[in-house]
Amino acid sequence: MMFWRTENKIEPKKNFHLEIEEYYNKVSNNEIPKELLAEIIEKVTDKIYDDYKRFWEQYPKSRKRYSKLKLEDLKHSFVYYLITDLLRKKKLVEYRHFSKILFGKNDAELDDYEKGKFDYETK
């Protein structure tokens, strides 16, 4: 009897996009303009998928881990940095309000996050 070994393959990008979209739609609770949310979802999907593809190639022993999106990766500081930079670039008055919603942080936690981001970028 012959057994075929199946290799782990990374899920299609559209699967990542759908999961990320569902996550941010839930988190945003309709408090973020749809166009802005769509742009955030696109940026995050592109970044996460590119990272997963790179890690999938770079770490063959971890291919299973990088085959499918883990939602906790959306809470990684580098994803937050990406979103923060996008919101700041747009010079939105609601920057802090939107950040608190997307990151699930209060004012003090957002202050700590911003200080950490500044420290990271200026070291």
Side-chain angles (χ1 to χ4, degrees), residues 36-96:
L36 177 60
L37 193 59
E39 189 173 352
I40 290 167
I41 291 165
E42 286 301 316
K43 289 253 186 219
V44 170
T45 300
D46 289 346
K47 173 68 173 142
I48 292 272
Y49 195 75
D50 287 348
D51 286 350
Y52 270 54
K53 278 192 336 189
R54 185 168 40 90
F55 296 149
W56 194 87
E57 290 292 328
Q58 196 172 350
Y59 306 110
K61 291 182 179 182
S62 297
R63 284 190 172 164
K64 185 174 180 182
R65 190 268 186 248
Y66 293 110
S67 296
K68 183 173 173 28
L69 176 67
K70 288 190 173 219
L71 289 179
E72 64 258 22
D73 288 343
L74 298 178
K75 297 179 182 178
H76 192 280
S77 57
F78 288 108
V79 172
Y80 288 178
Y81 292 176
L82 179 73
I83 293 170
T84 299
D85 292 345
L86 174 68
L87 294 176
R88 281 188 178 155
K89 184 177 170 186
K90 292 188 164 292
K91 297 182 169 109
L92 297 170
V93 174
E94 307 93 335
Y95 155 75
R96 283 188 62 84

